[in-house]
Amino acid sequence: MEYRQLGSTGLRVSRLGFGCIKFAQCKEPDVTAALHRALDLGVNFFDTARAYGTSEEMIGRALAQRRSEYVLATKSHGRSAAALTADLETSLRNLQTDYVDILFLHTVSDAETYEQVMGPGGGYEAAAKAKEQGKVAHIGVSIHRDLATMRRAIESGAFAVLMAAYSVIDQEGAGALLPLAARHGVGTVIMKPLSGGQLVSPPGPGGLPLSPDPVVTGVLRWILSNPAVDSVIPGMVSAQQVEDNVAAAERGPLAADERAELIAIVADLKKSYRYGQTCLRCGYCQPCPNGINIPAIFQAADEAREYPDNLKHMGRELYAAQERTAADCEECGRCMERCPAKLDIPRRLREAAQLFAG
Ligand code: SF4
Ligand code: SF4
């Protein structure tokens, strides 16, 4: 495994990190096995968030005894000092630790939010105090889409680490700012490398995911070929995925012909991954007061529309398994306020309801 200095933090992180965003949808023994397998194979950077359901608790239960072996990051959506402090205390309790290596201010993706968290009584103030108290070693920021805010955060000197989305089809344009971050000594962590699990090959025989998946392998190697990237954190949920992704990271940068081949394969998938077009399954929109599992319904619709004909039934079955369907949406709009992709969720639910009607 290759390791990098994470900006100027002094932290040494594996270039393949572990995104823990999907744990809440998984069986805990699988998660525990994946976490230990990762550590055993040299992955030493684990990223979670208060917003990731039971992810922090699962990490705490699985890895508390090995705390000295890994770099741990969590995130808070707390915009005020009080909210961030409360989040951090919960995170530390869940993670069974007395400090995190990085606390990210989560999804600071527009100027208004940036000013709120950086202003008097804002979340940054509490993060800085927690740093003085030794509960946080470094403060980071995760930002979607808004390149002006990203530039401002990098140049502010306030943040040690930037988390941004970047992939083969550059979803948000952050690739242009990664070298600037590197020049400012700001560590770079790449989230959503597989667009929330969509940038993958179609399922193989029996509807099972390919292992290893050449698209996933290629995309991870493509991202790690960029010298301005310190670490990439695909979401992983099984020891097998960990092994496949470690093997991918250890193959090193893509050669020119491999790069061309990957681009051709991705183009052949005929998908568009831009924010605002596709659900990334992040789950930030949950919970819906009407009990709708929004990412599951969007996944069902994507599968029913885009899978090969012999596999479209998977989407229909996933939709049929939902207790509350798209038709239960009352268009209150609460989910849209939390969606980093700024999707028009009620409209998309109406479209899904039509797709599956009858
Ligand atoms: S707009 Fe619909 S899906 Fe979104 S929170 Fe409200 S009821 Fe739930
Ligand atoms: S609808 Fe938006 S918030 Fe919900 S899972 Fe999809 S991208 Fe995430």
Side-chain angles (χ1 to χ4, degrees):
M1 176 61 64
E2 187 188 353
Y3 296 86
R4 288 282 286 262
Q5 290 295 325
L6 184 60
S8 305
T9 61
L11 298 171
R12 182 173 167 272
V13 293
S14 50
R15 290 202 84 201
L16 180 76
F18 197 135
C20 303
I21 187 170
K22 296 180 181 168
F23 287 179
Q25 303 148 27
C26 305
K27 292 186 184 133
E28 187 154 3
D30 295 340
V31 167
T32 303
L35 288 167
H36 282 284
R37 190 76 184 121
L39 258 185
D40 293 343
L41 290 175
V43 174
N44 77 340
F45 178 34
F46 297 85
D47 175 78
T48 182
R50 238 356 344 270
Y52 296 170
T54 51
S55 170
E56 290 178 332
E57 289 99 314
M58 289 196 199
I59 295 169
R61 284 192 286 268
L63 295 186
Q65 301 304 319
R66 301 180 70 175
R67 181 67 186 91
S68 62
E69 296 178 50
Y70 56 91
V71 171
L72 180 59
T74 192
K75 312 186 197 73
S76 167
H77 275 123
R79 302 313 188 204
S80 68
L84 186 131
T85 300
D87 267 1
L88 177 61
E89 292 304 324
T90 305
S91 293
L92 294 175
R93 208 166 41 247
N94 289 342
L95 291 161
Q96 300 187 30
T97 183
D98 51 10
Y99 76 100
V100 289
D101 297 281
I102 308 164
L103 177 65
F104 284 99
L105 306 192
H106 202 166
T107 325
V108 182
S109 300
D110 55 66
E112 195 185 332
T113 307
Y114 187 87
E115 270 151 36
Q116 190 183 3
V117 294
M118 299 305 283
Y124 188 88
E125 205 174 271
K129 188 168 169 207
K131 192 175 163 196
E132 280 170 23
Q133 295 168 335
K135 295 178 179 177
V136 168
H138 303 281
I139 304 170
V141 63
S142 78
I143 302 179
H144 285 284
R145 291 179 314 279
D146 185 340
L147 300 188
T149 298
M150 216 177 277
R151 177 180 287 277
R152 194 171 168 191
I154 291 167
E155 292 177 340
S156 70
F159 297 102
V161 189
L162 169 72
M163 182 176 289
Y166 168 67
S167 191
V168 174
I169 296 175
D170 191 357
Q171 305 146 341
E172 303 181 2
L177 289 182
L178 295 176
L180 180 74
R183 282 201 299 281
H184 278 76
V186 174
T188 55
V189 176
I190 301 306
M191 60 177 160
K192 309 278 186 293
L194 306 172
S195 287
Q198 296 174 82
L199 204 47
V200 295
S201 299
L208 295 172
L210 300 188
S211 172
D213 180 332
V215 172
V216 174
T217 299
V219 169
L220 293 178
R221 292 180 67 205
W222 188 94
I223 292 168
L224 291 173
S225 299
N226 185 336
V229 169
D230 289 331
S231 187
V232 60
I233 52 165
M236 298 187 274
V237 295
S238 70
Q240 185 61 56
Q241 272 183 344
V242 168
E243 288 170 15
D244 290 349
N245 290 348
V246 167
E250 289 182 341
R251 283 177 62 184
L254 288 174
D257 58 332
E258 292 174 313
R259 181 177 283 261
E261 193 184 337
L262 174 69
I263 299 296
I265 293 171
V266 169
D268 254 9
L269 292 174
K270 292 191 174 55
K271 287 191 178 184
S272 176
Y273 299 97
R274 293 194 70 80
Y275 268 79
Q277 296 179 1
T278 311
C279 169
L280 299 167
R281 325 272 192 255
C282 63
Y284 296 168
C285 51
Q286 301 295 109
C288 156
N290 285 10
I292 300 170
N293 185 335
I294 298 166
I297 286 179
F298 289 164
Q299 181 181 342
D302 286 348
E303 289 178 2
R305 287 190 190 107
E306 297 178 18
Y307 271 9
D309 285 347
N310 63 332
L311 295 175
K312 286 187 191 300
H313 66 92
M314 292 172 68
R316 291 193 294 275
E317 285 160 12
L318 179 59
Y319 190 77
Q322 300 305 310
E323 272 179 37
R324 308 303 298 270
T325 69
D328 291 309
C329 174
E330 291 179 335
E331 312 211 353
C332 69
R334 282 187 221 171
C335 53
M336 289 206 294
E337 292 162 14
R338 299 191 292 260
C339 175
K342 302 280 185 239
L343 297 183
D344 184 343
I345 294 173
R347 177 177 64 75
R348 284 166 179 268
L349 287 174
R350 282 198 301 277
E351 290 168 359
Q354 278 171 0
L355 177 70
F356 292 113

